[in-house]
């Protein structure tokens, strides 16, 4: 006989880990105890089947658990011990984390639609394997008094389940039933009637409110677009199941796994040729649709109601007619509405009906958005289901806070060798979003019990995130924008050494004060060297050129020596002659090496979009036209580390948009590979990191990945953090940590403001 003390670290609280160990010990006739504390799960186990216990612990853990480490040490045998107990939680220094929210599990779905079950059609059922976690947690350890369920005393039936280690709801903190739990403000029948009547409905979810309407009601979709002032930005769809999804889009095995997994993100899927026709206003001019499946009981109940309330779950295997537009309820680019009173105030005039409930959302979280890129999942927006799961860093270091950039902001807090990247916060254009950033920092500090010693931020002095960093009273560490992009990829892939990276982006302030965005960087430790960049294009009008691709097309014509054609070619688009004079006179037309602006120039020359209704619209439309990328021989020049794509753009003037989209993507990827290979070979490197907003483009990412692979080089792509500015804070944090490790701790600073 032997006795072991076990420390289990990772995502092991609020996921049914203690009852799992209890059941496992019972089956193997082991004695001992288990409890939650600040560091994770602590247990003592005694008996003669400990090897089998440890094997099963690693192989059969609950579905939401993530085991990072199991530390075992011998301890004295207790001869008088009988049975295996689950003890009360111990508080103390927190070194564990809280699990992300999880979609309703199959067992709960079966209960939801079982007329004999006491939770039949109850909108808030959940268990240890599913339901809200992060968005209802105030602090750790994760126990009911520290969640939004503290005000819902359990009824006798729920209390018995909660206390029974053999029950699926043992210590399931959000557990409830119709007798003791939260209540929905409107019946499901009322909600469905409103949607079918063409009304726009605000529905409270896990991380905030959605605005929903019938996707096949073109008038309702147009009203929703007008009320949100969304221009041409695509809407996401929610459908009942995979069978319903396949009416619109192509679904491969990897996409299906994403759609049906515990995260239930919005997944970008290619439209199916000849498929059921949706209103054009869902995703105007785009070949991709964002689709998600139901992830809360409320969502499932809407589809169940629409199907006529059939018994059982067999109906979920068949195509269903109801298709919903589901978009974030955040008017004016502000953060999601989460509070009931706040929703009634902020969503007045947006929603015709507001459906709320009395379970509070403590931290807002948008839906995550993903797509399959080069055969594997990639995050386009990190949110519900992913935050705040940690990203493992190559090594440990001092705790740092990083506050991202200006657009698509996130924050990142490190603890040891873990980086906790927040959910999507948004563009810091208004006070409400800046307040959300501050709120996210305070919440991460509270649930992780971490005090950072320094704060990292973008090099740009006028970003609101930079000013926020400077207000905290901590040593500040500025990190160049594209350095952070590449560092984020290296951090998540565990690369701790010299590495080459291509940062393909829209804009970032360069180390020389210029506008960068198409960079070849060599990273080593906390520093970087700029080895090359894309040839500069004039950016007439400054930032306005990013919203008017015809201006970048005019700059491309000038670069070709064909500036005289600008006025005639673009007279219908805007002040073409004035733009020509700006470019020729160098007046308010700063040069930029931005890859995003080369994309815009191609779009303008091909007539894909003269003016963009939202950021990235033109390149997204260009990507949608691609069928089979082709390479133009002689389509680029490389001289002194500068990659010039002017020959490619000259060729685009001679072909149509469809052929031009294929040629631009194929030639750009081939040019980038040819540009990087000599530098990789000279340093003996067999991998290259790729990041920046242009890597959101799956065609470009896959062409680059294949192109490098054909030359024996592995392309490291962003997976756990977005390629765009949503991943900046991760890269900033990793650079800052390395800087502190290299240079020693920063000088003493004033205390961090209390959370």
């Amino acid at each position: 006989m032997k006795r072991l003390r076990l420390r289990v670290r990772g995502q092991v609280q609020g996921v049914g880990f203690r009852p799992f160990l209890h059941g496992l010990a019972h089956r193997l006739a082991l004695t001992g105890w288990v409890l939650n504390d600040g560091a994770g799960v602590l247990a003592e186990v005694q008996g003669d089947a400990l090897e089998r216990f440890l094997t099963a612990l690693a192989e059969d853990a609950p579905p939401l658990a993530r085991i990072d480490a199991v530390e075992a040490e011998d301890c004295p045998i207790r001869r008088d011990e009988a049975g295996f107990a689950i003890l009360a939680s111990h508080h103390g220094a927190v070194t564990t984390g809280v699990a992300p929210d999880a979609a309703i599990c199959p067992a709960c779905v079966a209960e939801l639609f079982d007329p004999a079950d006491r939770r039949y059609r109850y909108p808030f059922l959940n268990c240890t394997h599913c339901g809200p976690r992060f968005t209802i947690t105030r602090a750790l350890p994760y126990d009911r008094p520290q969640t939004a369920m503290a005000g819902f005393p359990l009824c006798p039936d729920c209390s018995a389940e909660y206390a029974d280690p053999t029950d699926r709801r043992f210590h399931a903190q959000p557990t409830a039933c119709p007798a003791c739990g939260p209540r929905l403000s409107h019946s499901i029948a009322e909600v469905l009637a409103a949607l079918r009547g063409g009304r726009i409905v605000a529905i409270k979810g896990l991380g905030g409110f959605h605005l929903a309407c019938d996707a096949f009601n073109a008038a309702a979709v147009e009203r929703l677009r007008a009320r949100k002032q969304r221009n041409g930005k695509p809407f996401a769809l929610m459908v009942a199941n995979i069978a319903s999804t396949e009416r619109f889009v192509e679904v491969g095995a990897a996409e299906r796994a994403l759609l049906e997994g515990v995260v239930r993100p919005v997944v970008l899927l290619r439209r199916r040729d000849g498929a059921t026709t949706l209103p054009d206003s869902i995703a105007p001019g785009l070949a991709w649709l964002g689709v998600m499946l139901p992830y809360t009981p409320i969502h499932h109940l809407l589809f169940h109601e629409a199907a006529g309330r059939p018994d059982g779950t067999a109906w979920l295997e068949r195509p269903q007619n109801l298709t919903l537009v589901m978009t974030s309820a955040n008017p004016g680019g502000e953060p999601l509405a989460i509070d009931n009173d706040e929703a009634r105030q902020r969503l007045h005039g947006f929603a015709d009906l507001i459906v709320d409930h009395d379970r509070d959302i403590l931290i807002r979280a948008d839906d995550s958005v993903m797509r399959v890129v080069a055969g594997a999942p990639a995050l386009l927006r990190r949110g519900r289901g992913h935050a705040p799961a940690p990203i493992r860093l190559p090594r440990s270091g001092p705790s740092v806070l990083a506050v991202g950039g200006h657009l698509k902001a996130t924050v990142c807090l490190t603890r040891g060798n873990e980086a906790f990247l927040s959910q999507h916060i948004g563009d810091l254009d208004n006070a409400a979003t800046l307040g959300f950033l501050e709120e996210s920092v305070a919440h991460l500090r509270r649930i992780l019990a971490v005090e950072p010693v320094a704060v990292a931020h973008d090099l740009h002095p006028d970003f609101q995130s930079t000013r926020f960093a400077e207000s905290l009273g901590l040593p500040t560490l500025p990190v160049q924008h594209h350095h952070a992009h590449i560092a984020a990829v290296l951090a998540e892939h565990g690369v701790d050494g010299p590495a080459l990276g291509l940062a393909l982006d829209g804009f970032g302030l360069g180390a020389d004060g210029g506008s960068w965005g198409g960079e070849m960087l060599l990273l080593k430790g906390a520093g970087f060297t700029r080895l090359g960049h894309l040839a500069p294009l004039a950016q007439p009008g400054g930032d306005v050129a990013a919203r008017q691709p015809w201006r970048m097309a005019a700059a491309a014509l000038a670069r070709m020596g064909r500036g005289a054609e600008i006025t005639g070619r673009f007279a219908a688009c805007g002040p073409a002659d004035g733009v020509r004079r700006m470019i020729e006179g160098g007046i308010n037309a700063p040069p930029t090496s931005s890859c995003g602006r080369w994309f815009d120039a191609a779009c303008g020359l091909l007539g894909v979009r003269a003016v963009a209704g939202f950021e990235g619209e033109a390149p997204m439309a260009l990507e949608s036209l691609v069928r089979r990328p082709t390479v133009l021989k002689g389509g680029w020049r490389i001289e002194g580390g500068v990659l010039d794509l002017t020959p490619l753009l000259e060729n685009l003037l001679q072909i149509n948009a469809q052929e031009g989209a294929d040629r631009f993507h194929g030639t750009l990827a081939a040019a980038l590979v040819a540009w990087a290979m000599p530098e990789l070979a000279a340093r003996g490197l067999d991998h290259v990191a790729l990041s920046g907003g242009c890597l959101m483009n799956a065609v470009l990412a896959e062409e680059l990945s294949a192109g490098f692979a054909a030359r024996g080089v592995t392309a490291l792509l962003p997976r756990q953090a977005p390629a765009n500015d949503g991943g900046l804070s991760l890269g900033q944090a990793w650079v800052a940590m390395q800087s502190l490790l290299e240079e020693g701790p920063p000088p003493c600073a004033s205390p961090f403001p209390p959370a």
Side-chain angles (χ1 to χ4, degrees):
M1 182 175 291
K2 189 175 181 182
R3 186 179 186 90
L4 290 178
R5 170 167 281 221
L6 303 176
R7 160 65 66 202
V8 187
R9 303 184 189 276
Q11 187 172 292
V12 290
Q13 292 190 10
V15 295
F17 205 84
R18 289 174 300 167
F20 160 67
L21 291 189
H22 178 277
L24 181 58
H26 180 76
R27 290 194 300 275
L28 296 177
L30 301 173
T31 64
W33 52 262
V34 63
L35 57 81
N36 279 346
D37 66 6
V41 165
L42 184 66
E44 287 191 8
V45 189
Q46 177 173 300
D48 57 6
L50 292 180
E51 290 295 330
R52 290 163 60 195
F53 181 90
L54 291 173
T55 299
L57 185 155
E59 295 179 353
D60 303 326
L64 298 185
R66 188 199 71 251
I67 299 174
D68 293 335
V70 178
E71 301 159 7
E73 61 176 305
D74 292 332
C75 54
I77 291 173
R78 294 184 54 177
R79 300 288 180 183
D80 58 344
E81 186 175 63
F84 190 92
I86 297 178
L87 305 181
S89 297
H90 286 187
H91 294 255
V94 176
T95 59
T96 186
V98 61
D101 295 0
I104 182 173
C105 69
C108 283
V109 171
E111 288 181 342
L112 187 65
F113 300 128
D114 179 2
D117 193 278
R118 71 186 186 92
R119 292 186 175 88
Y120 175 61
R121 289 181 57 86
Y122 179 56
F124 302 98
L125 89 172
N126 60 82
C127 70
T128 54
H129 304 314
C130 67
R133 298 289 193 278
F134 175 59
T135 55
I136 64 165
T137 302
R138 286 191 177 88
L140 291 181
Y142 174 69
D143 288 321
R144 194 175 180 99
Q146 306 211 79
T147 73
M149 295 299 293
F152 295 93
L154 293 169
C155 69
D157 287 340
C158 286
S159 184
E161 293 171 339
Y162 185 86
D164 182 357
T166 66
D167 195 279
R168 201 175 84 251
R169 292 188 169 89
F170 175 75
H171 280 223
Q173 309 307 342
T175 195
C177 76
C180 64
R183 298 180 183 276
L184 200 60
S185 62
H186 296 73
S187 72
I188 296 296
E190 289 177 281
V191 180
L192 181 63
L195 291 166
R196 284 184 161 164
R199 301 173 76 188
I200 295 168
V201 180
I203 303 173
K204 189 176 182 179
L206 289 184
F209 281 79
H210 282 107
L211 291 173
C213 71
D214 181 351
F216 281 99
N217 187 323
V221 175
E222 289 289 1
R223 281 200 307 277
L224 178 56
R225 186 171 291 285
R227 290 179 186 182
K228 280 203 69 174
Q229 299 179 353
R230 199 171 169 88
N231 298 320
K233 198 170 184 180
F235 284 130
L237 300 176
M238 180 175 281
V239 295
N241 48 35
I242 293 293
S244 302
T245 302
E246 290 175 331
R247 294 180 300 162
F248 313 117
V249 291
E250 300 170 359
V251 184
E255 286 89 355
R256 179 169 185 147
L258 283 179
L259 286 166
E260 294 185 325
V262 297
V263 173
R264 295 287 171 100
V266 176
V267 181
L268 289 195
L269 302 165
R270 184 174 283 278
R271 289 181 192 253
R272 183 184 294 277
D273 291 338
T276 303
T277 303
L278 288 160
D280 290 339
S281 55
I282 297 289
L286 300 179
W288 303 81
L289 291 175
V291 181
M292 61 179 159
L293 300 187
Y295 58 84
T296 70
I298 295 172
H299 299 150
H300 276 285
L301 289 172
L302 280 170
F303 290 100
H304 187 235
E305 189 79 19
R309 296 195 179 192
D311 290 345
T313 59
W315 65 278
L316 276 171
E317 302 300 318
R318 300 188 292 268
Q320 301 298 315
N321 290 327
L322 181 64
T323 301
L324 299 175
V325 166
M326 295 285 268
T327 187
S328 304
N330 56 338
E334 296 180 352
L336 274 172
I338 57 172
D339 178 78
N340 295 345
D341 291 338
E342 172 196 16
R344 283 187 283 272
Q345 179 182 0
R346 291 177 58 202
L347 301 182
H348 178 72
F350 288 83
D352 303 311
L353 177 68
I354 295 177
V355 180
D356 60 34
H357 53 74
D358 51 354
R359 184 180 70 196
D360 290 340
I361 299 171
L362 300 182
I363 188 72
R364 64 196 89 218
D366 264 304
D367 295 316
S368 290
V369 181
M370 303 184 75
R371 77 189 308 181
V372 174
V373 179
L379 268 167
L380 305 186
R381 182 174 75 188
R382 184 179 173 91
R384 173 192 52 78
H386 283 282
I391 295 171
R392 187 73 56 186
L393 297 174
R395 53 189 164 127
S396 295
S399 179
V400 297
L401 170 68
V403 295
H406 182 72
L407 303 178
K408 303 173 182 64
T410 58
V411 297
C412 184
L413 187 60
T414 69
R415 187 181 64 190
N417 66 342
E418 296 176 311
F420 293 86
L421 181 61
S422 78
Q423 70 277 37
H424 170 80
I425 293 171
D427 299 349
L428 302 181
D429 291 326
N430 54 67
T433 309
L434 187 58
F436 180 23
L437 181 138
E438 297 174 3
E439 169 190 318
S440 299
V441 170
H443 191 68
L444 277 178
R445 284 184 52 242
R446 188 163 54 247
I447 64 172
L448 298 176
V450 167
E451 295 295 337
V453 299
V455 57
H457 58 84
D458 194 88
L459 195 62
H460 201 300
D462 295 329
F463 282 178
Q464 290 292 345
S465 54
T466 299
R467 294 172 180 170
F468 170 65
E470 292 170 344
S471 74
L472 296 178
L474 287 169
T476 57
L477 296 166
V479 180
Q480 198 278 325
H481 193 90
H482 303 99
H483 184 193
H485 270 308
I486 300 303
V489 179
L490 300 179
E492 72 157 284
H493 285 277
V495 177
D496 188 11
L500 193 78
L502 300 183
L504 309 173
D505 201 25
F507 165 77
L509 183 66
D512 60 0
S515 173
W516 291 10
E519 312 303 317
M520 186 195 303
L521 306 180
L522 179 67
L523 275 64
K524 186 176 182 181
F528 77 94
T529 302
R530 189 190 196 198
L531 300 179
H533 56 84
L534 296 187
L537 283 174
Q539 195 168 334
D543 289 345
V544 72
R547 300 187 296 274
Q548 298 181 9
W550 72 268
R551 290 176 178 253
M552 294 311 304
L557 283 176
R559 184 171 180 83
M560 299 172 200
R562 300 171 64 163
E565 299 176 23
I566 293 174
T567 303
R569 186 181 286 268
F570 298 114
C573 301
D577 196 55
V579 164
R580 177 187 61 78
R581 291 196 300 271
M582 290 167 66
I583 296 170
E584 291 176 351
I587 303 167
N588 193 22
T592 178
S593 61
S594 166
C595 186
R597 301 296 78 80
W598 281 90
F599 262 97
D600 289 338
C603 293
L605 293 174
L606 291 168
V608 172
R609 290 285 192 281
V611 176
F614 60 92
E615 185 200 6
E617 180 184 14
M620 287 169 63
L622 188 68
E623 180 191 2
S624 291
L625 294 174
V626 176
R627 292 296 175 265
R628 185 176 181 181
T630 59
V631 178
L632 173 67
K633 185 177 180 180
W636 65 88
R637 296 185 289 262
I638 301 173
E639 184 176 350
V642 176
L643 174 60
D644 188 355
L645 299 164
T646 304
L648 169 61
L649 295 194
E650 287 182 295
N651 182 260
L652 298 186
L653 292 169
Q654 306 166 29
I655 55 180
N656 62 35
Q658 169 71 72
E659 188 178 355
D662 287 341
R663 191 163 298 175
F664 181 79
H665 283 82
T667 306
L668 173 60
L672 291 167
V673 171
W675 185 40
M677 281 307 302
E679 298 291 353
L680 289 164
R683 290 163 177 81
L685 298 173
D686 61 0
H687 56 266
V688 59
L690 308 174
S691 193
C694 294
L695 269 300
M696 304 285 276
N697 182 314
V699 174
L700 178 61
E702 289 169 352
E703 287 293 300
L704 284 170
S705 183
F708 279 114
R711 290 158 179 79
V713 172
T714 300
L716 305 178
L717 295 171
R719 299 291 183 189
Q720 299 182 68
N724 63 19
D725 286 5
L728 281 178
S729 64
L730 172 62
Q732 291 170 349
W734 176 229
V735 171
M737 182 188 288
Q738 292 180 94
S739 178
L740 295 178
L741 289 170
E742 292 172 4
E743 300 175 11
C748 293
S750 59
F752 200 95

